Amino acid sequence: MSTAVFEMKSRRPRSRAAADRRRGYLMVAPLVILLLAVTAYPLFYNLWNSFHFVNLSYGALPHKWVGFSNYSEMFNSSAWTSALVRTALFTLVTVVFDVVVALGLALMLNRRFRGRGFVRAAVLVPWAVPTVVSAMLWKTMFDPRAGFVDYFLGNFHSAWANLSWVNANVWRSWAVIFIADAWKNVPFVAIILLAGLQVIPSEVYEAARVDGATGWQSFRRMTLPLLKPAIMVALIFRTLQAFLVFDVIYILTGGGPGTSTETLSFLNYQTFIINTDFGYGGAISMMLVVITLAVAGVYVRVLRPST
Amino acid sequence: MATVTLEHIGKIYPGGVRAVEDLNLEIADGEFMVLVGPSGCGKTTALRMIAGLEEISEGTIRIGEQVVNDLEPRSRDIAMVFQNYALYPHMTVADNIGFALQLRKMSKQEIRAKVDEAARILGLTEQLGRKPVQLSGGQRQRVAMGRAIVRNPAAFLMDEPLSNLDAKLRVQMRAEIARIQRHLGVATIYVTHDQTEAMTMGDRVAVMRDGILQQVDAPQVLYDRPANVFVAAFIGSPAMNLYEGVVSDDGSHVRLGDQTLDLPRGAAPRDHHGQDVIVGIRPENLADAVTGGSAGTRGSQLEGEVDIVEALGSEKLVHFRIEAPRVQTADAISVDDSGEADALSQGELGTTAMNESVARVEPTSQIRAGERAAFRVDAEHLHLFDPASSLALWPAPRPAEAAAV
Amino acid sequence: MSTAAVEVAAAQRTAVHRRRRRPARRIVREVLFYLAALIVVAISLFPFYWILRTSLESDSQVAAGVGGANGLLPSHLTGSAYVNDFSQQHFLTPLLNSVIVALGTTVVTVIVASLAGYALARLRIRGGAVILAFVLLAGFFPVLAMIGPLFLLFRSLGLLNNIFPLIIVYLVYTLPISTWLLKSFFEQIPPDLEEAALVDGATRLQALRKVVVPVAVPGVFTAGILSFILAWNDFAFAVSFLNTTGNFTAPLSIVTFGQSSFQVFYNRIDAAVVIISIPIALLVLFLQRRIVAGLTAGSFR
């Protein structure tokens, strides 16, 4: 009843696994090559430069070997050390604030309620728009003339109207930076935490209720521990992001007033692009790489045992 | 028209794990062959080797006269029904069924005709325009079958197609599949872990364990004359009761703990007189000595402490204990679905602390939990096995079908 | 009444009592919850309203400042800022540049990440784990730190002040997450789909084309959207490598609006901001479920 259709031309190579493997290598090759080109190549070039004197402003001068002098200059420079401290502080405050607020947001979005889709979309929009938008938006909001903040505050207390925020005063400048950054990034963290929440089966909570747990106890002993992997992921992304913050600084304050809002990333940009100093800049950026890898490493080490 | 022949088939995974060893099987044209065994026994691997989805490490597979070892699945003229159906989610039912025909560049009318025919046989005509996600489990299963039968292949391969259906649907589909296969008359190799499916559907059943074929025979033969302890415990539900016993010096009876059972004449081979032996009694061969007819002599009874009586309406299952050590293989434990297997390694026999025996008695039996009860043993249906090799001693196995554990 | 009926009636009475005690507390909770949700939405969206409002002011209104007739909702609205953006500031060019770059990056990303994601999910490659670890590491790599060497590289290739190298650079943002996303996605497609196609008579390639690809479309779509957003949004690299207004991307050009004149024309800046935000906002509003699902697919296995 069957028609025999044995096609001789379909003989496969002795080992199909080997053919698959070859195909596989070909398929991942573009990815690996492209990534290496944009990460490894600049990295090594940069490393090389950091041990040399390379400055385009002094175009004619040869690029000579200077050993570690770029690095020692950096460690001894107050500009760099203050930038480091500032960046670290900013990162710490931002990350803690963002994660706590995002957790609340995620808990809220986890509940089923009418209009949840709309709220979710609304919350996502700040994250999706470019940092430029976020920065400009808050620059507008905090402008003494065109901004909402001053208008609003002015309605409460006339002395508060027309306050200058950005570049007026260190604390106020940081406040604006902080708000612009948090406004944009809390949604991202919230989404990650929300995903983590949704993986927790609801029976866990029901069992806890039957066992007699209150809302707070249930949160502390069920939600938080079960959310740990998500929190770790959120922390690692957010920490690295906050540490490398650049866009909002450039756009809002340009590092000012003075140099009081210069972060490491900003310093990096200034050295490379403004000062065209690729040797010293090399040292700064290598340090950035080291620190970020260290931070990532610490998190991964902490994250590994629980997965 | 094709037979499927497996000669000395073996499969070794990189890393040294051996999934199938020296499997020899011949499936005649139109035969319904079931491969059955506990998980990990190699049945699915064997099926996939026939399909061409796994490479064959040793041996040859022939479909018809053609050696297919090196052929791609698409050239082997086989059709397969997967456990999770593997329906193409982005295609309609009609396209799912007709996909293979499309690949072979049949004309649209021909494809249409064949798809309609298959849909008619399976009762899917209403669903042809729908997508898999809109169908029920049973309907999806039938689409998977439709995909296979529309091709008129040399052989059907089925990988546990019923395991995702609920119990009632399963019983229904069992009959459906059997009916369709009979109607189409195509050699079919059907893999399952459920011995009920195996017994009810197969023309012949091949019992596998740890990659080795234990016995292949018609279902009734497997039931009546299991070749070894594993097959005996695997086939039949509830499983056969197995005990360690000692044959009397004259071979006329066997001692189980503090009780004795008469043996039929010639049952115990001469060289086992006075030796240890494994005794097997199926629950259905134990009757309530009180209500099940004449009480009989002491030597034809077993007495035990009753733990639980399960009333099923048509019969009662009595769980009881006797003082004889019980025998269970590690797989027999998992086959009974009784929670965790103990620390017996695969292939070992051992005595266990679980000494629950089961008897199937008439619904009118008055046996109650917590009492002592007496069961009449149908001596003609006793089984004896050699403890060292696990091979059947009595009834004697059919030659060339047995395998040592 | 019989004892049974009495019992039933008593039970019903207590049930009603219990139901009466709860609602008050619940209502308060519900109200607070919706209030919180409202606040959240307000914080997220009000700033957008504000820039929309500002963008519709005239130059003189902006100079005058907020207040009085020019309050939350100004009495006069005009589109002059928008017109100005396109006619005088030539905003169209940067917009087009951004589109070119973002599309370029997206196309490359989708192709490369799909190939790699499939290979990593399905084909057993020796060193697959290493490649994955490398991709993950690349995701954490502070590429921003590399603007120096990249600058020198582009300079030597004569590609400075050119938008096309940006396509390659943005890949370092888009490739890691897209690969990871697509790999998870391919892993979720059951392998027996392909096997069924093979048994049905397809070659490997046919199986890929006719079965795997159609099923993978949602994942590819999500990766594409994410990549577009990531590429569209970049500022840091643009500001480092581009220096003539004609070559700016949209984010960069907006910032230079603000820096160019003595008086900051917020209406013009905000008009540009609105323009650049609209496509993104629309994408998100309509596809939020897709995006969230894509971001969280297989995250915590």
Side-chain angles (χ1 to χ4, degrees), chain B residues 104-179:
Chain B
R104 280 165 177 71
K105 312 245 197 283
M106 274 194 189
S107 73
K108 286 223 171 117
Q109 297 102 291
E110 266 196 274
I111 298 182
R112 197 60 216 265
K114 286 194 184 273
V115 168
D116 284 344
E117 173 69 14
R120 197 186 53 80
I121 297 180
L122 293 161
L124 286 173
T125 327
E126 307 280 308
Q127 331 297 345
L128 280 177
R130 300 218 184 118
K131 295 239 175 93
V133 71
Q134 298 167 290
L135 303 178
S136 71
Q139 287 167 329
R140 286 186 208 170
Q141 209 269 349
R142 273 182 274 149
V143 176
M145 298 254 342
R147 199 164 57 176
I149 71 182
V150 83
R151 302 225 344 248
N152 262 341
F156 281 141
L157 306 177
M158 303 198 189
D159 185 6
E160 308 210 42
L162 302 182
S163 57
N164 289 336
L165 301 174
D166 64 62
K168 275 226 162 75
L169 208 47
R170 218 180 294 175
V171 172
Q172 218 180 314
M173 289 305 298
R174 249 171 31 201
E176 280 281 307
I177 294 180
R179 182 179 64 82

Side-chain angles (χ1 to χ4, degrees), chain C residues 13-295:
Chain C
R13 257 180 276 129
T14 26
V16 169
H17 265 174
R18 268 197 216 109
R19 253 181 276 134
R20 274 200 214 122
R21 238 184 290 144
R22 280 233 207 103
R25 231 189 185 187
R26 269 182 129 215
I27 291 183
V28 172
R29 274 232 203 111
E30 292 285 298
V31 167
L32 281 178
F33 183 84
Y34 277 104
L35 200 62
L38 203 63
I39 294 179
V40 165
V41 173
I43 295 180
S44 298
L45 295 183
F46 181 75
F48 285 106
Y49 167 73
W50 191 258
I51 51 167
L52 186 65
R53 166 208 170 279
T54 311
S55 71
L56 292 170
E57 287 184 317
S58 66
D59 291 354
S60 47
Q61 278 171 297
V62 173
V66 186
N70 212 23
L72 269 184
L73 186 62
S75 42
H76 293 307
L77 293 175
T78 165
S80 65
Y82 288 92
V83 174
N84 184 288
D85 274 352
F86 282 106
S87 57
Q88 283 189 280
Q89 315 285 3
H90 309 292
F91 192 51
L92 192 59
T93 317
L95 268 181
L96 282 177
N97 286 339
S98 276
V99 170
I100 294 174
V101 172
L103 271 182
T105 308
T106 304
V107 167
V108 174
T109 301
V110 161
I111 296 177
V112 172
S114 300
L115 286 175
Y118 177 79
L120 288 167
R122 279 275 180 277
L123 308 173
R124 273 174 251 131
I125 316 173
R126 266 192 236 123
V130 171
I131 294 181
L132 265 177
F134 169 63
V135 171
L136 193 65
L137 203 63
F140 288 138
F141 188 73
V143 190
L144 211 43
M146 299 295 113
I147 47 177
L150 284 172
F151 181 89
L152 287 176
L153 174 66
F154 292 147
R155 184 167 166 273
S156 62
L157 290 175
L159 285 175
L160 259 192
N161 204 26
N162 185 319
I163 56 173
F164 287 100
L166 283 180
I167 296 182
I168 308 291
V169 172
Y170 291 158
L171 288 176
V172 81
Y173 284 146
T174 60
L175 282 178
I177 187 170
S178 299
T179 310
W180 185 64
L181 210 144
L182 283 169
K183 169 182 163 296
S184 305
F185 196 83
F186 279 119
E187 275 173 349
Q188 284 176 40
I189 302 180
D192 26 356
L193 271 186
E194 273 177 83
E195 289 177 350
L198 288 179
V199 169
D200 271 351
T203 59
R204 254 288 155 90
L205 202 59
Q206 282 176 318
L208 268 179
R209 232 182 354 114
K210 298 187 178 236
V211 174
V212 177
V213 166
V215 176
V217 163
V220 171
F221 193 60
T222 309
I225 293 179
L226 272 178
S227 300
F228 191 87
I229 293 181
L230 286 171
W232 180 267
N233 290 357
D234 170 76
F235 172 75
F237 283 105
V239 82
S240 305
F241 298 141
L242 305 170
N243 53 29
T244 39
T245 44
N247 287 342
F248 282 174
T249 55
L252 187 52
S253 124
I254 292 182
V255 172
T256 48
F257 277 14
Q259 295 172 340
S260 53
S261 43
F262 278 117
Q263 182 189 5
V264 185
F265 285 111
Y266 278 108
N267 55 339
R268 295 187 207 159
I269 295 175
D270 289 348
V273 169
V274 167
I275 295 174
I276 198 180
S277 309
I278 289 182
I280 304 288
L282 285 176
L283 263 178
V284 168
L285 274 166
F286 285 118
L287 299 168
Q288 57 98 4
R289 198 175 291 157
R290 227 348 129 59
I291 296 176
V292 172
L295 278 178

Side-chain angles (χ1 to χ4, degrees), chain B residues 36-50:
Chain B
V36 73
S39 17
C41 70
K43 54 194 191 295
T44 306
T45 313
L47 191 76
R48 287 168 66 86
M49 283 197 278
I50 302 176

Side-chain angles (χ1 to χ4, degrees), chain B residues 219-235:
Chain B
Q220 193 63 46
V221 177
L222 288 178
Y223 179 89
D224 291 332
R225 299 159 77 126
N228 58 36
V229 172
F230 177 77
V231 178
F234 189 85
I235 301 284

